[in-house]
Amino acid sequence: MTINELTKKMKNLSFLIVTVSLFCFNLTVFSAKHRPYCIGADVSWVQQQENEGLSFKDKGVKKDVLTILSDNGFNWIRLRLFVDPKAANGYSKEGYCDLEHTLAMAKRVKTAGMKLLLDFHYSDTWADPGKQFTPSAWDRLKGRELDSVIFIYTKDVLTRFKKEGLLPEMVQIGNEINHGMMWPEGKTDSTLVPLSNLLRSAAAAVRTTNPKTQIMIHLACGGQNKESVWFLDRILKNGVDFDVVGQSYYPEYHGTIDELKYNLTDLATRYRKPIVVVEYQVLRKEVNEIVLNLPNQMGLGTFIWEATSPRWGNLFDKEGNTTESMQLYPELSEKFKNRHR
């Protein structure tokens, strides 16, 4: 998209964003009775692994990786999306995790009968609490221009998913954004107003495309209650529309398992929004038990990060065979089914 094309599209979008945000705020109502538990996995690395010659096997039988995960109780898949991973400082010169690669993977997810969480990074490369690079094509935009372009981009992406019959059931508007996103414009400050403007624009684009799609706010504060409450209170005050609170939990950064339990229990009670641990690697049983048993069944589920990486998710070894770590998930699946009986 050229700057001239962008300028034309941005005309009158500020009014539309505000209107949609106000109309749709708290539109989606969740009933715990009818909310299936997410046993999720991030498999964004799979296409690269397969292209490098890796195949996946369960009990010695070669199968599609999504079939293996589904057979073992997984029912949701998370895919990350970068704006332009081929950019000079982008994630992948091959374009992995761009729109086309992600659409191809989403088709496999839907064919497998699984639900999809789409993770908008709003960056050309990794976005996390330590780095939130503005996409190179947007780096000259400021204020309302940036608010408008995030609306346009989010809407265009989801419109393409809709056209292909691949709409995600849930989206993250940003990845681990407790320190903001699209720095420096969206960097966390004392009010969170600039960041909230970006989030409101992204949320409005989701609601415009499909009001039923769940919107997640993703923080990296798993065991950090004070930080979580401070952030969520401010974006709610600023009118940000979202349905689900997502948290990352890595003990070396986010505290003990007891601190995770305290934080998630407080957030579930305080905000009455479903909770997801959307990234975790260790203490798998403990993390899932905490989420499963949150008050008022507000625990929506978990997503193990990079499930196919021996280093991270470790559900598969370097030859693509399922590991002992996989054995936990069929057991968890039965427990989660029993919650609604």
Side-chain angles (χ1 to χ4, degrees):
M1 182 184 299
T2 67
I3 293 296
N4 286 338
E5 290 171 334
L6 175 60
T7 302
K8 289 179 182 179
K9 281 197 170 188
M10 288 193 301
K11 290 181 178 178
N12 298 321
L13 271 179
S14 295
F15 174 77
L16 176 60
I17 290 166
V18 172
T19 302
V20 173
S21 295
L22 291 174
F23 177 75
C24 294
F25 190 74
N26 286 333
L27 177 65
T28 305
V29 178
F30 289 88
S31 168
K33 183 177 180 181
H34 302 292
R35 187 193 308 130
Y37 194 89
C38 305
I39 305 179
D42 190 307
V43 298
S44 301
W45 194 20
V46 160
Q47 289 169 310
Q48 182 177 345
Q49 290 175 298
E50 291 176 336
N51 288 344
E52 292 172 353
L54 187 66
S55 58
F56 297 93
K57 299 167 282 291
D58 189 19
K59 300 180 178 64
V61 179
K62 182 179 177 180
K63 299 180 182 179
D64 184 274
V65 64
L66 297 177
T67 300
I68 294 173
L69 289 168
S70 180
D71 288 347
N72 283 278
F74 286 86
N75 56 6
W76 279 74
I77 294 296
R78 179 183 187 235
L79 300 175
R80 60 178 169 264
L81 176 66
F82 299 118
V83 175
D84 182 11
K86 290 185 179 181
N89 295 311
Y91 168 77
S92 164
K93 64 181 180 180
E94 294 85 5
Y96 291 118
C97 298
D98 68 1
L99 179 57
E100 297 304 323
H101 281 86
T102 305
L103 283 166
M105 197 68 195
K107 185 174 183 179
R108 290 174 60 179
V109 171
K110 297 290 187 174
T111 299
M114 305 172 85
K115 296 184 183 297
L116 174 63
L117 167 58
L118 182 63
D119 177 9
F120 282 95
H121 274 242
Y122 297 121
S123 178
D124 295 332
T125 189
W126 295 107
D128 57 46
K131 55 186 179 297
Q132 294 276 344
F133 301 115
T134 299
S136 57
W138 308 350
D139 61 7
R140 289 182 292 170
L141 303 178
K142 305 292 182 183
R144 289 186 178 180
E145 291 180 330
L146 201 57
D147 298 341
S148 295
V149 78
I150 196 173
F151 177 93
I152 293 165
Y153 169 76
T154 304
K155 185 175 183 295
D156 285 351
V157 165
L158 292 177
T159 297
R160 179 71 186 281
F161 271 81
K162 187 175 184 177
K163 181 179 178 181
E164 301 287 340
L166 301 172
L167 271 174
E169 283 76 17
M170 188 185 303
V171 299
Q172 292 177 219
I173 49 174
N175 190 76
E176 295 187 324
I177 62 170
N178 43 294
H179 291 167
M181 65 183 186
M182 291 194 286
W183 294 348
E185 284 290 301
K187 194 174 181 66
T188 295
D189 62 9
S190 60
T191 66
L192 296 189
V193 169
L195 174 60
S196 295
N197 290 339
L198 292 169
L199 294 174
R200 289 174 62 206
S201 297
V206 178
R207 298 300 195 208
T208 298
T209 310
N210 182 25
K212 293 183 179 180
T213 298
Q214 302 170 46
I215 298 172
M216 177 192 291
I217 295 294
H218 177 200
L219 310 180
C221 299
Q224 295 153 318
N225 183 249
K226 182 178 179 180
E227 292 87 342
S228 298
V229 171
W230 180 89
F231 187 97
L232 293 170
D233 278 354
R234 278 156 182 77
I235 66 168
L236 285 168
K237 180 181 178 181
N238 294 335
V240 175
D241 175 18
F242 67 100
D243 306 301
V244 177
V245 176
Q247 290 277 14
S248 294
Y249 178 65
Y250 302 102
E252 62 269 36
Y253 302 115
H254 307 134
T256 67
I257 197 71
D258 287 338
E259 288 170 325
L260 175 70
K261 182 177 181 179
Y262 175 82
N263 185 33
L264 299 189
T265 300
D266 178 69
L267 299 182
T269 304
R270 185 186 297 264
Y271 299 110
R272 304 288 294 180
K273 291 181 181 290
I275 307 290
V276 176
V277 175
V278 73
E279 290 187 23
Y280 72 104
Q281 294 170 255
V282 298
L283 300 171
R284 301 159 193 242
K285 185 174 182 179
E286 293 86 346
V287 168
N288 277 280
E289 291 286 352
I290 286 170
V291 178
L292 173 66
N293 292 299
L294 288 177
N296 302 308
Q297 297 190 359
M298 297 305 288
L300 183 54
T302 65
F303 287 78
I304 189 162
W305 194 68
E306 287 291 9
T308 60
S309 164
R311 179 182 177 187
W312 303 113
N314 191 33
L315 298 187
F316 298 84
D317 64 21
K318 62 182 180 179
E319 282 81 35
N321 299 295
T322 52
T323 67
E324 290 184 1
S325 298
M326 185 70 84
Q327 296 175 12
L328 171 67
Y329 292 93
E331 172 190 340
L332 290 174
S333 179
E334 285 302 311
K335 285 186 178 181
F336 301 148
K337 288 177 184 177
N338 290 335
R339 182 175 76 169
H340 298 292
R341 291 175 182 169

